[in-house]
Amino acid sequence: MLILVINSGSSSVKYQLYDMPREICKACGVIEKVRNHHLALRLVIQSLLRGKKRAISSKDEIAAVGHRVVHGGESFKQSVLINKQVTKTIKSYSRLAPLHNLPNLAGIFACKRLLKRAPQVAVFDTAFHQTMPESSYLYGLPYAIYKRHAIRRYGFHGLSHRYVAEKASKILGRPLKSLKIITCHLGNGCSITAVDKGKSLDNSMGFTPLEGLVMGTRCGDIDPAAVLYLMKKKNLSINRTLELLNRTSGLLGLSGKSNDMRDILRLSRRGNKRAKLAADIFIYRIKKYIGAYIAAMNGCNAVVFTAGIGENQPYIRTKVCRGLSTLIKKFKIRVLTIHTNEELMIARESYRLLKR
Ligand code: ADP
């Protein structure tokens, strides 16, 4: 059964065609500088039909389309088959994640028109974290604000955290239900999850993907009073402030040079002090979260590193682990590096729903 996996972002559409349940990727690609999602998806299907390898000979061979949807709020604890009500609910969460959910929806609508026969599945980045208890997802705000405005911590990168946690349990040869795992997704966006007996207990991202670790261009944890102070002092608009916190902070803002860890470490090795400082802050924040999650779970069997930095930067992994060496020894924690595969997770989820 062929399942087309679509990750439809604001300026790019990534796709992979999976042969399930064999889990073989038959084609993949990315359309960049996307302005019109319908045109982009048409290009995707054309390239499957006519590309060098001709992955399919007719559109009808695509049995289903699995879409990555970033924000499922409190409504989606699992993946779902898409119908009108589902798209309406996804749209209602676009007020919480406008940069993500609207392009995700554009991809869904385009596929509906282009592949009329194929059922569509929505797989959410937030769903895995819907097991978080109130004690980890509520902020210390008045409870009525949570009830009225849905302001709480949601957690993100759920597909990646779940994928690597499941893989870790296979590598360790122990059931997920018997393990306490800390998964570190370190890419451009970075987040850490405490996976307790297979369930997300906590994730470092919050109401939006801005909270938590220092990232490529996002600042991570910050005292909200500092933000308000700055807005007042510099007379900043809300949009300008969001831009500052999301796009010009993090490694980029601290180093003044780059959001890319490869550049940061190269500059640091050459003696650039601000680049070294950026890397040090990045590492320190990771250590702090891992320590906190060992405490939150009252133990830990494995720490997993994944995504661009987690998989490819041994310097960062080593620094984090050296800083935690006492805890690692005490709890006999295994440290693993696992390649993440969010697209395969979407294909698996779509296949599981269709079979049902
Ligand atoms: P995204 O979150 O956009 O999917 P990635 O997971 O690719 O991004 O992570 C981007 C980060 O990973 C960058 O800081 C980059 O330096 C680092 N990175 C990606 N690939 C490599 C590599 N092959 N070697 C070293 N660092 C890498």
Side-chain angles (χ1 to χ4, degrees):
M1 177 192 289
L2 294 183
I3 293 179
L4 178 61
V5 174
I6 296 293
N7 185 350
S8 171
S10 55
S11 62
S12 72
V13 171
K14 294 185 193 142
Y15 67 94
Q16 290 198 8
L17 185 71
Y18 267 99
D19 182 359
M20 298 299 283
R22 295 194 296 160
E23 302 196 341
I24 295 170
C25 180
K26 296 198 69 172
C28 66
V30 56
I31 313 281
E32 279 173 325
K33 297 187 184 154
V34 170
R35 292 228 186 95
N36 177 322
H37 286 80
H38 188 259
L39 284 181
L41 262 307
R42 226 167 63 189
L43 269 175
V44 167
I45 292 163
Q46 272 170 11
S47 74
L48 293 175
L49 282 164
R50 298 191 198 134
K52 268 190 222 145
K53 286 195 185 157
R54 258 181 127 237
I56 51 173
S57 48
S58 143
K59 283 203 283 191
D60 294 342
E61 287 174 35
I62 298 174
V65 187
H67 294 269
R68 176 192 204 154
V69 179
V70 168
H71 214 309
E74 291 186 322
S75 304
F76 299 108
K77 299 189 187 327
Q78 287 188 13
S79 312
V80 285
L81 272 169
I82 296 173
N83 58 27
K84 268 205 178 125
Q85 185 54 45
V86 168
T87 50
K88 233 170 114 180
T89 313
I90 294 174
K91 183 142 193 256
S92 75
Y93 285 116
S94 62
R95 74 200 145 92
L96 302 184
L99 296 179
H100 294 108
N101 274 29
L102 291 176
N104 296 161
L105 269 176
I108 291 172
F109 289 131
C111 285
K112 265 190 164 176
R113 282 169 61 195
L114 291 161
L115 299 164
K116 292 195 175 66
R117 294 228 212 133
Q120 317 249 348
V121 174
V123 183
F124 299 91
D125 257 336
T126 46
F128 181 56
H129 302 300
Q130 279 296 300
T131 51
M132 292 197 305
E134 274 183 322
S135 46
S136 53
Y137 75 65
L138 281 182
Y139 290 114
L141 289 166
Y143 194 77
I145 287 186
Y146 158 59
K147 278 301 190 199
R148 174 92 182 78
H149 301 287
I151 294 179
R152 50 158 282 182
R153 308 183 56 257
Y154 289 95
F156 295 88
H157 287 143
L159 298 171
S160 176
H161 289 293
R162 187 175 149 200
Y163 179 84
V164 296
E166 286 175 3
K167 191 106 191 203
S169 116
K170 283 200 189 113
I171 292 171
L172 297 174
R174 288 178 56 182
L176 209 46
K177 281 217 151 100
S178 73
L179 292 167
K180 299 171 194 237
I181 304 177
I182 296 173
T183 50
C184 309
H185 178 107
L186 310 175
N188 251 320
C190 302
S191 75
I192 303 195
T193 301
V195 186
D196 195 4
K197 303 189 187 84
K199 290 187 176 162
S200 170
L201 172 73
D202 206 347
N203 173 262
S204 57
M205 285 179 165
F207 178 60
T208 73
L210 182 57
E211 192 176 331
L213 301 174
V214 170
M215 312 179 207
T217 59
R218 294 177 216 151
C219 62
D221 292 338
I222 185 170
D223 181 346
V227 179
L228 298 173
Y229 173 84
L230 190 67
M231 286 177 82
K232 204 167 160 197
K233 190 93 181 159
K234 296 198 46 155
N235 202 15
L236 292 181
S237 66
I238 292 173
N239 282 344
R240 178 72 194 86
T241 311
L242 280 174
E243 165 101 9
L244 169 79
L245 302 174
N246 277 297
R247 297 200 193 277
T248 56
S249 295
L251 295 175
L252 175 64
L254 285 164
S255 69
K257 296 283 186 193
S258 172
N259 65 322
D260 192 304
M261 190 52 96
R262 283 168 285 202
D263 298 333
I264 297 290
L265 293 182
R266 195 175 331 114
L267 286 164
S268 168
R269 279 194 298 270
R270 286 191 201 144
N272 184 307
K273 289 209 170 92
R274 291 253 303 277
K276 178 167 185 323
L277 179 66
D280 287 348
I281 295 171
F282 183 85
I283 291 161
Y284 178 75
R285 190 79 60 93
I286 295 169
K287 263 187 341 192
K288 205 159 89 164
Y289 264 96
I290 293 177
Y293 286 170
I294 294 175
M297 292 193 287
N298 193 19
C300 174
N301 304 104
V303 170
V304 181
F305 290 96
T306 192
I309 298 171
E311 291 171 30
N312 301 298
Q313 294 289 3
Y315 173 83
I316 301 285
R317 292 196 302 266
T318 309
K319 278 279 193 186
V320 169
C321 292
R322 272 202 200 134
L324 291 163
S325 58
T326 310
L327 286 177
I328 289 176
K329 269 189 215 134
K330 187 166 174 59
F331 289 101
K332 298 194 177 70
I333 297 171
R334 288 278 303 272
V335 178
L336 306 170
T337 303
I338 298 177
H339 173 61
T340 193
N341 195 340
E342 290 157 299
E343 289 76 18
L344 177 56
M345 204 72 214
I346 298 173
R348 280 182 186 164
E349 284 292 283
S350 307
Y351 179 71
R352 184 179 64 82
L353 279 182
L354 280 192
K355 240 177 45 177
R356 227 172 37 190

